[in-house]
Amino acid sequence: AAPPPAPPVAVAAAPAAAYDSRAAAMRLPGAPGYAAPAAPHAPPAAAPTPPAAAGGMAPRPAATPTNNGLSSSESLVDAISTASTTAALAEALREVEQWQWTSDQEAGMKRCKTYVPEQPALAAFYVSSVNEWKLLQPRVLVLTPSSYFRVKYDQKSGKVEHYRKTPLRDVLSLEKTADGLKIYLRGQDGRAGPQKWYQRLERKVAQISTGSKDNAFSGRVKDEFYYAREYRPSLPAGAPLSADQVTDVLAAALHKTAELHRDSLPADGAPFEPPPVLTTDERRQILHDRKAAARAEEERAEREAAEAELRHAVEVASASRELEPKTSSQINSAVLSRPIKRARRAVEADASLISRAEQLKAELEEEHRVRVEAERLERERTEREAATAELEA
């Protein structure tokens, strides 16, 4: 009997190109080291529309296959960065509508784009908003020429429940995180979370205990990274673009829209800068450098104050050394002790000044010791002579 045929061997598919989110973040407009493409990106030619089906409804065109979405997202970011007008930006963002959204998401984005009070709506993104309790809430981000809206849309009823408007001039920076995009604002967006509640309580307790109304003890400093709202892309399973790529497109769209909005404002209006696009490591480095600079400034101020105090103490001790020879040694030695200790604690204080002060202090202490010893010997001599005279008498 003939042997059974061997089972077919499965051929492994070639691995898809890995998406470098760090490199993509550096290509975003507004990021450090960003260089715009040399020539504007031409929008891809539209695919021919298939014939209408029965009932007069044209089927949705199929998505153009790309290299796992890599070239598509990069070209879209380039098209956004080179847009010189709002109309060109809206044309570039039309590609977002061709992403593989679900039918409910498509309906929600179309409804939200027509619902917001500012028109035209440049683009809409289905996202998950991270609220103050770190819970994910499905929302639709609608981008307009001067603002963006966070809209709550009910898919079951097909109605918009509420929205929140944020002007682009209130956006300070954009941070590309591991899960999505974090937008830093000038003020609180929504309700404050439990962490801020605890900081307020801590500040209030400190004010009551010290009897002061200042904010010296206020926990975390309210810098440009204090108020934040994070958004995570919400794409259906099997979408050609990853969450990192959608985040890149969203960050590029927000930065470019803010830049065009700034350029459209009158010259005598209140200026504002488009928000830069950062990574988490870059934000941490900014805070680290800022903290190091503040610490260096404090050290400089303390060093100068300690050196000035020590110089003054040395001058006083040297000047009064000859004026009151009976008591100046002990007094001036004690006067020098505290300034010398402060100068030693100061960072990079003048070593020659400290050495001169220590030498002067040692000389004064030696003078005091010699004077005390001489006074003791003089008392003994006087007492001895008096006792001798009394005995002879």
Side-chain angles (χ1 to χ4, degrees), residues 198-330:
Y198 178 76
Q199 291 175 356
R200 293 176 184 173
L201 178 62
E202 192 177 29
R203 180 169 62 252
K204 190 65 175 178
V205 171
Q207 292 175 353
I208 295 175
S209 60
T210 58
S212 174
K213 294 184 178 181
D214 59 359
N215 293 327
F217 186 78
S218 58
R220 179 183 169 186
V221 179
K222 292 185 179 181
D223 51 16
E224 68 271 26
F225 303 114
Y226 187 77
Y227 298 107
R229 171 71 67 162
E230 185 176 0
Y231 299 97
R232 299 178 183 178
S234 180
L235 288 176
L241 297 178
S242 65
D244 281 341
Q245 294 168 305
V246 177
T247 301
D248 291 339
V249 174
L250 179 57
L254 285 169
H255 173 82
K256 191 62 181 182
T257 307
E259 182 180 306
L260 295 176
H261 177 54
R262 178 203 59 183
D263 297 339
S264 65
L265 295 176
D268 56 349
F272 78 98
E273 290 300 324
V277 182
L278 308 172
T279 61
T280 302
D281 292 339
E282 290 169 348
R283 176 182 60 83
R284 291 173 178 172
Q285 186 63 38
I286 290 174
L287 295 177
H288 177 271
D289 295 344
R290 186 176 300 168
K291 185 176 181 180
R295 182 172 61 251
E297 177 62 22
E298 292 178 359
E299 293 174 353
R300 182 197 62 79
E302 174 61 22
R303 178 172 60 252
E304 293 180 355
E307 290 177 352
E309 182 182 5
L310 184 57
R311 288 192 185 94
H312 178 70
V314 170
E315 292 175 359
V316 171
S318 301
S320 60
R321 190 175 184 180
E322 302 297 334
L323 298 179
E324 298 178 3
K326 294 183 179 180
T327 59
S328 62
S329 299
Q330 182 180 6

Side-chain angles (χ1 to χ4, degrees), residues 175-213:
E175 178 186 342
K176 188 175 184 296
T177 64
D179 301 319
L181 183 68
K182 187 175 289 187
I183 302 178
Y184 293 98
L185 305 166
R186 297 184 185 276
Q188 183 67 43
D189 185 3
R191 298 183 178 90
Q195 183 178 5
K196 291 187 176 64
W197 297 345
Y198 178 76
Q199 291 175 356
R200 293 176 184 173
L201 178 62
E202 192 177 29
R203 180 169 62 252
K204 190 65 175 178
V205 171
Q207 292 175 353
I208 295 175
S209 60
T210 58
S212 174
K213 294 184 178 181

Side-chain angles (χ1 to χ4, degrees), residues 54-99:
M57 296 296 293
R60 179 184 176 184
T64 304
T66 59
N67 181 20
N68 198 25
L70 299 181
S71 60
S72 175
S73 66
E74 294 175 5
S75 61
L76 180 54
V77 170
D78 292 341
I80 293 172
S81 63
T82 55
S84 58
T85 62
T86 303
L89 178 61
E91 181 65 24
L93 289 173
R94 288 183 59 185
E95 185 177 334
V96 177
E97 301 176 359
Q98 305 302 323
W99 292 351

Side-chain angles (χ1 to χ4, degrees), residues 299 303 307 343-351 354:
E299 293 174 353
R303 178 172 60 252
E307 290 177 352
R344 285 175 179 174
R345 292 194 300 266
V347 179
E348 298 181 356
D350 190 354
I354 298 176

Side-chain angles (χ1 to χ4, degrees), residues 340-393:
I340 289 176
K341 291 180 180 179
R342 183 181 180 184
R344 285 175 179 174
R345 292 194 300 266
V347 179
E348 298 181 356
D350 190 354
S352 61
L353 177 62
I354 298 176
S355 177
R356 187 167 67 253
E358 290 177 343
Q359 182 179 0
L360 178 60
K361 180 174 178 292
E363 293 175 357
L364 293 174
E365 290 176 349
E366 180 62 21
E367 291 178 2
H368 176 67
R369 187 192 64 80
V370 171
R371 183 179 296 110
V372 169
E373 181 67 16
E375 292 175 353
R376 184 183 64 81
L377 293 176
E378 179 64 20
R379 288 194 303 271
E380 291 178 355
R381 184 190 65 80
T382 303
E383 176 65 20
R384 183 174 58 254
E385 291 178 354
T388 303
E390 180 180 3
L391 184 61
E392 291 176 352

